[in-house]
């Protein structure tokens, strides 16, 4: 195996010709180690077996890693011709199970192993041709051909690990031991584990855009988090420690499990970790291609749900608060232990990168600072569901790598395992799996009094909300200022740049409030819909909002709106966003210098009644600004409640005239009405235009 040892490539520094050779070598070794993995299958027949009933047959993965390069090269226009369109379709997409009871019942006519091997040979020739001849410059940028080459290589390295997990799930008589590196033979009693203190601090997460390694899109962006002091276990949780949980009835006690965990346990009838076997009174452990007597001093391998149940059992037993680390706590631990990244170290500090063993090893073998196995041996589950950092952008050549996992259901694993290589072995890598999923993964526990805060950065998909986001936060139709920006400018003009205390009665996605905030004394912005108000609240708390818009039927655009790129953050502390009902305005909404009704009047059940009383909410000399299309809804607003848009005594009464008549008791109109155009993009090629009349009324006296 030693001749196959590699590290991911520095894509920034070096000489062009050397770099081309380096990448060629990295590709060839990746290809070779991938093929070596499958030599553990007893016969060709086994390629048609599934390691996991919820995943494809193993043959899929043999074809998939090759097809991936060709599909991405073709998509990126690096090559003009496909090799085998049929193969490039059937080997294109893996199965991402949604739940533990999902079954992939589609029927596939898998080709012969020899045909797949033949395809792999052709693909390899094409890939080498690209590596030898595609333009190469340093640093390699996101959209360069060599970024796509690296994408193919790192993708193959991910599958090296995930396929090894599938082979580990095949019946023992279908695999052959001894063909893939050396299994550790150090067995013994597990060391007594202890909790050691880690001082808290501010952690800055996220890979810089100009980092010298290839990265998946989810690694970039930035995130700052304050980590409180915590304690964590010196060693990963060992098989011996986990046995105590089993012996204490852990798998039979619902109170230790999360609701999701208990459902999974019951569905699977799980009584012990997936790779444990019970033989009489003895436990054994299944490795990738062999079974051994239980190595009690090795780390236990479980899914998140089991790890969490263990923490809850320990908490109940000891009266303390145990849980798994968050992503930021893991980085804090790594920093404390002075773990350096691949390019900054002379030797690999643990059981990582296939450099030590082809299996886990004792938890007390590789010290790193005061702890062991902060990186390497087996992955470590965290409490943190994966989401993009602020500034996250989807890589257009692999747009479904990350975003389907940003659903709150995929937790991050850190540290890497004995078979984690390439990008997986770098500090910035961010891999996440469903909580019931098995990898070569275990855990270390954390003791902390700090309440666990799970960030919720999911993408909004409600089409009404996302349309409002597009309308308010982009510049549809090429308008240099969209409707909301024009309205804000108008409001600042009529108030001489000092709007004072402001009430926005239709907050929508918050743009108007953010535009006015730097100039206002304070702003209260309310919206009838909790679905809408959620967006500006998130914007206020986290500085960005995310949503998905659909286009041309199935195509999706992932949008991220970052506050300080659109509007200066200054003043946002003056904004309060509330969900409330303008039809029945509470008494507390009083004492304003400016009340704005952006497209609200036409939504009210009683516009007339509203206009008759709105002066009560304003300070003397205060302004009322109405922006309306006067699109009264006949079903929603009674004729008698509409200020205009009808005939009275046979003569037309426009809405504007009607409003003027009602407001004349308490207001004067101070500037002529203006028309502002709102473009609402229904798709990238279809928009709805609305022309709002904006009128400005000043309280008398
Ligand atoms: Fe894949």
């Amino acid at each position: 195996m030693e001749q196959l040892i590699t590290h991911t490539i520095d894509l920034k520094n070096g000489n062009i010709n050397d770099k081309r050779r380096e990448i060629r070598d990295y590709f060839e070794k990746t290809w070779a180690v991938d093929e070596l993995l499958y030599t553990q299958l007893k016969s060709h027949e086994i390629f048609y077996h599934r390691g996991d009933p919820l995943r494809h047959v193993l043959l899929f993965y043999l074809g998939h890693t090759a097809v991936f390069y060709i599909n991405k090269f073709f998509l990126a226009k690096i090559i003009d011709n496909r090799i085998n369109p049929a193969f490039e379709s059937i080997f294109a997409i893996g199965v991402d199970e949604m739940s533990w009871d999902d079954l992939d019942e589609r029927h596939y006519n898998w080709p012969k192993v020899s045909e797949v091997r033949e395809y792999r040979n052709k693909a390899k020739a094409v890939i080498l041709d690209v590596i030898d001849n595609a333009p190469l410059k340093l640093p390699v940028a996101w959209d360069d051909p060599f970024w796509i080459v690296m994408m193919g290589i790192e993708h193959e390295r991910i599958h090296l690990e995930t396929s090894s997990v599938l082979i580990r799930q095949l019946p023992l008589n279908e695999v052959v031991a001894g063909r893939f590196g050396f299994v550790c033979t150090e067995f013994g009693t597990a060391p007594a584990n202890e909790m050691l203190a880690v001082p808290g601090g501010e952690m800055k997460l996220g890979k810089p855009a100009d980092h010298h390694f290839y990265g998946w899109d989810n690694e970039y962006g930035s995130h700052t988090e304050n980590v409180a002091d915590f304690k964590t276990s010196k060693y990963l949780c060992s098989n011996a420690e986990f046995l105590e949980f089993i012996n204490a009835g852990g798998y039979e006690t619902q109170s230790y499990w999360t609701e999701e965990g208990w459902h999974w346990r019951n569905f699977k009838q799980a009584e012990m970790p997936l790779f444990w076997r019970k033989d009489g009174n003895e436990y054994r452990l299944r490795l990738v291609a062999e079974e051994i007597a239980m190595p009690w001093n090795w780390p236990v391998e479980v899914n998140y749900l089991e790890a969490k149940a263990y923490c809850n059992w320990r908490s109940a037993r000891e009266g303390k608060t145990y849980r798994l680390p968050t992503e930021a706590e893991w980085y804090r631990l790594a920093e404390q232990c002075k773990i350096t990244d691949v390019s900054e170290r002379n030797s690999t500090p643990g059981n990582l990168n296939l450099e030590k063993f082809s299996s886990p090893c004792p938890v007390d073998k590789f010290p790193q600072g005061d702890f062991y196995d902060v990186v390497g041996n087996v992955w470590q589950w965290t409490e943190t569901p994966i989401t993009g950092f602020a500034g996250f952008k989807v890589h257009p050549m692999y747009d479904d790598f990350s975003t389907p996992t940003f659903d709150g259901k995929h937790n991050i694993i850190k540290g890497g395992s004995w078979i984690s290589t390439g990008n997986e072995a770098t500090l910035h890598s961010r891999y996440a799996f469903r909580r019931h999923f098995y990898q070569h993964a275990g855990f270390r526990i954390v003791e902390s009094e700090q309440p666990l805060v799970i960030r919720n950065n999911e993408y909004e998909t409600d089409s009404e909300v996302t349309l409002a986001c597009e309308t308010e936060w982009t510049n549809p139709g090429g308008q240099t200022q969209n409707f909301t920006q024009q309205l804000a400018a108008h409001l600042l003009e009529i108030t001489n740049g000092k709007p004072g205390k402001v009430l926005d009665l239709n907050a929508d996605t918050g743009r108007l409030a953010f535009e006015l905030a730097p100039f206002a004394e304070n702003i209260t912005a309310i919206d009838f819909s909790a679905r809408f108000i959620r967006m500006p609240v998130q914007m206020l708390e986290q500085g960005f909002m995310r949503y998905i818009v659909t286009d041309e039927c199935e195509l999706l655009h992932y949008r991220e709106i970052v506050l300080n790129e659109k509007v200066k953050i200054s003043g946002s502390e003056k904004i309060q966003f509330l969900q409330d009902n303008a039809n029945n305005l509470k008494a507390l909404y009083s004492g304003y210098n400016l009340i704005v009704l952006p497209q609200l009047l036409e939504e009210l059940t009683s516009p007339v009644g509203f206009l008759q009383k709105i002066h009560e909410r304003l300070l003397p000399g205060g302004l009322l600004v109405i922006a309306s299309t006067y699109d009264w809804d006949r079903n929603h607003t009674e004729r008698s409640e509409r200020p205009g848009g009808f005939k009275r005594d046979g003569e037309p009464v426009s809405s504007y005239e009607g409003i003027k008549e009602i407001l004349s008791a308490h207001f004067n109109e101070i500037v002529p009405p203006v028309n502002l155009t709102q473009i609402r993009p229904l798709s990238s090629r279809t928009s709805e235009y609305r022309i709002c009349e904006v009128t400005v009324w000043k309280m008398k006296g």
Side-chain angles (χ1 to χ4, degrees), residues 245 248-250 253-257 307-323 445-447:
F245 168 70
T253 312
Q254 185 177 353
S255 61
Y256 302 144
W257 295 78
K308 187 73 182 167
Y310 174 90
C311 292
N312 291 338
W313 165 70
R314 284 280 302 263
S315 302
R317 191 181 69 170
E318 295 170 33
K320 292 181 175 168
T321 309
Y322 292 112
R323 56 171 172 74
I445 61 173
V446 156
E447 185 190 342

Side-chain angles (χ1 to χ4, degrees), residues 64 68 155 159 398:
H64 174 63
F68 182 91
H155 170 262
H159 278 288
Y398 198 170

Side-chain angles (χ1 to χ4, degrees), residues 68 72 75 92-94 96 217 394-405 556 558:
F68 182 91
K72 295 302 175 198
L75 181 67
I93 307 214
D96 180 33
D217 53 11
V394 174
H395 196 290
M397 291 300 123
Y398 198 170
D399 64 1
D400 55 354
F401 181 80
S402 300
T403 47
T405 66
L556 305 178
Y558 289 85

